[in-house]
Amino acid sequence: MRIVESAAEENHLLRVHKVILEIGQFAGVIIPSLEFAFSVIKKDTILENTEIEINSPPLLLSCHACEAEYLADLEDLSCPVCQAEDFDILQGREMLVKSIIGE
Amino acid sequence: MEDKEILHPQPAGEKLSRREIRVITLEENVLGENEKIADENKVLLQKKGIFSLNLISSSGSGKTTLLVETLRQLSGEIACAVIEGDQQTDNDARRIAETGVPVVQINTRSGCHLEALQVRRALEQLPLSNVRLLFIENVGNLVCPAEFELGESEKVVLMSITEGEDKPVKYPLAFHLASAVIFTKMDLLPYLRFDFDKCKEFVRKVNPHAPMIETSAFTPDGLTRWIEWLRAKIGSYESRIT
């Protein structure tokens, strides 16, 4: 809320039609819960009529063993090239306010 | 998205005004403010030469009991301090205080995790000049504590063997980020249908490197390996910062 309100003020927006969030699969966020929470907290604020759009980008990992970068899901984190389960998370922990649309 | 021009009706007698719909790209981290404060906490602790551990686990895994016994065994050897996080009560802080170690209790009330600003305020209340090892006992929760950086040196995850074997893959981020996985209540293993080998396999699926350390707070040598790990970590940390 603070990020959006601050950005709206800085950009002289009178209305914010939509907030677009990017939430990674490893972020531990339950998206329907976030949508519900937003619907409640936005009441009686400048975001009262603002829609929220939540995108979840693919989980992208980097294998330590063979250096492959691969798409994965939480059910199977192993490398498809060498089957190792030793990875860094390249994409998947994001919790970003990606953009706002307003006027 | 292209800007669109929208004409807005105005009260009678006034000209129609023109405003544009704009897309403002922010790419702003929701947790950015917390991470900034966490970085400041980290710098402060480094300047004081304090090695800090964020203890993360489910509620009821035995964090406080392990901590109390650890502090008793380190007494006189390594000066410690503790930051306790719970939604309500100071019960855990009282137990820690009985060991003589300085402790600050944070009550998060409705919050399910500690945040960096809360830890900053707690640090201001602790006698940090004499401390070598700081334990931050997080709120019992394996989800959000993994997300909210506090400025600690490292994270450890505790898991009691009374929990399900597949805990590590159910909460992959917490286990992935842990420098060590501490199994608690090992004295109960003979009475449980707990597949320990399976559990260790699950840990390795999300964290191939973290040592897995078995502990029991209620047996004579139940903390030996854990204490050895702590000593090695502190020694290594102090070598790096001097």
Side-chain angles (χ1 to χ4, degrees):
Chain A
M1 289 284 291
R2 276 196 297 273
I3 292 172
V4 175
E5 287 176 341
S6 177
E9 193 179 312
E10 279 169 24
N11 288 278
H12 311 292
L13 298 180
L14 297 179
R15 287 188 197 87
V16 179
H17 296 294
K18 187 183 272 194
V19 174
I20 299 172
L21 303 183
E22 200 164 273
I23 306 289
Q25 293 179 46
F26 252 117
V29 175
I30 300 171
I31 289 174
S33 297
L34 178 57
E35 288 169 335
F36 172 70
F38 184 74
S39 72
V40 171
I41 63 171
K42 69 178 187 176
K43 287 180 183 154
D44 301 322
T45 73
I46 66 159
L47 304 184
E48 183 149 17
N49 297 309
T50 304
E51 284 177 40
I52 190 169
E53 179 181 310
I54 303 174
N55 300 320
S56 191
L59 185 55
L60 183 64
L61 307 180
S62 168
C63 178
H64 276 162
C66 71
E67 299 184 353
E69 292 184 4
Y70 59 98
L71 297 175
D73 61 58
L74 292 176
E75 305 285 329
D76 182 5
L77 300 168
S78 60
C79 175
V81 175
C82 70
Q83 283 70 55
E85 289 164 331
D86 186 1
F87 55 87
D88 282 327
I89 303 168
L90 298 180
Q91 182 172 277
R93 292 193 61 190
E94 305 77 22
M95 273 194 263
L96 295 180
V97 180
K98 191 84 173 164
S99 58
I100 60 175
I101 300 173
E103 56 171 316
Chain B
M1 177 180 165
E2 294 179 359
D3 286 352
K4 284 170 59 176
E5 192 170 306
I6 300 230
L7 300 178
H8 295 269
Q10 294 295 302
E14 296 194 21
K15 290 183 181 176
L16 291 171
S17 68
R18 295 168 186 271
R19 275 193 239 125
E20 292 174 339
I21 288 185
R22 290 180 283 152
V23 178
I24 315 288
T25 301
L26 297 177
E27 301 268 352
E28 199 156 332
N29 182 0
V30 170
L31 300 185
E33 185 61 27
N34 183 78
E35 287 176 13
K36 177 172 162 289
I37 299 172
D39 287 341
E40 291 166 2
N41 290 345
K42 186 166 237 168
V43 167
L44 169 66
L45 289 167
Q46 279 173 349
K47 279 186 180 161
K48 298 279 185 186
I50 298 171
F51 180 70
S52 52
L53 284 176
N54 184 355
L55 305 182
I56 295 174
S57 80
S58 299
S59 184
S61 68
K63 288 191 295 300
T64 309
T65 298
L66 181 79
L67 201 39
V68 165
E69 292 310 309
T70 301
L71 294 172
R72 289 205 174 112
Q73 291 194 27
L74 292 178
S75 175
E77 179 194 344
I78 297 174
C80 299
V82 176
I83 296 174
E84 274 289 336
D86 291 288
Q87 284 195 297
Q88 299 284 2
T89 84
D90 63 355
N91 294 345
D92 287 354
R94 285 174 187 271
R95 290 174 63 190
I96 301 292
E98 285 172 6
T99 68
V101 168
V103 55
V104 172
Q105 176 81 58
I106 300 171
N107 285 140
T108 60
R109 302 185 192 282
S110 57
C112 59
H113 55 271
L114 287 175
E115 297 188 8
L117 183 58
Q118 294 167 324
V119 168
R120 159 76 63 73
R121 291 188 180 135
L123 290 174
E124 289 164 1
Q125 300 176 55
L126 286 167
L128 297 179
S129 303
N130 303 323
V131 172
R132 286 175 72 196
L133 173 58
L134 172 69
F135 291 102
I136 305 172
E137 187 187 332
N138 217 314
V139 178
N141 176 359
L142 276 172
V143 183
C144 301
E147 289 290 350
F148 285 80
E149 294 294 328
L150 304 177
E152 73 274 16
S153 309
E154 299 186 22
K155 296 175 173 55
V156 294
V157 163
L158 278 70
M159 177 186 159
S160 87
I161 58 163
T162 57
E163 299 172 62
E165 293 94 350
D166 57 355
K167 210 65 170 244
V169 291
K170 284 184 174 174
Y171 300 92
L173 184 62
F175 282 83
H176 178 70
L177 296 176
S179 295
V181 176
I182 315 301
F183 291 108
T184 61
K185 309 185 185 181
M186 290 300 300
D187 49 293
L188 297 179
L189 188 59
Y191 310 106
L192 300 169
R193 290 177 194 179
F194 180 80
D195 188 339
F196 202 6
D197 288 335
K198 193 76 187 161
C199 184
K200 289 179 193 172
E201 278 177 35
F202 282 136
V203 171
R204 284 290 170 251
K205 277 188 177 300
V206 296
N207 191 327
H209 303 297
M212 291 183 270
I213 302 173
E214 299 169 23
T215 67
S216 167
F218 298 133
T219 56
D221 299 313
L223 299 190
T224 301
R225 278 195 61 214
W226 160 237
I227 301 277
E228 281 170 2
W229 185 86
L230 285 172
R231 288 190 184 117
K233 275 288 175 184
I234 294 167
S236 157
Y237 175 79
E238 290 176 344
S239 302
R240 282 200 307 277
I241 62 171
T242 53

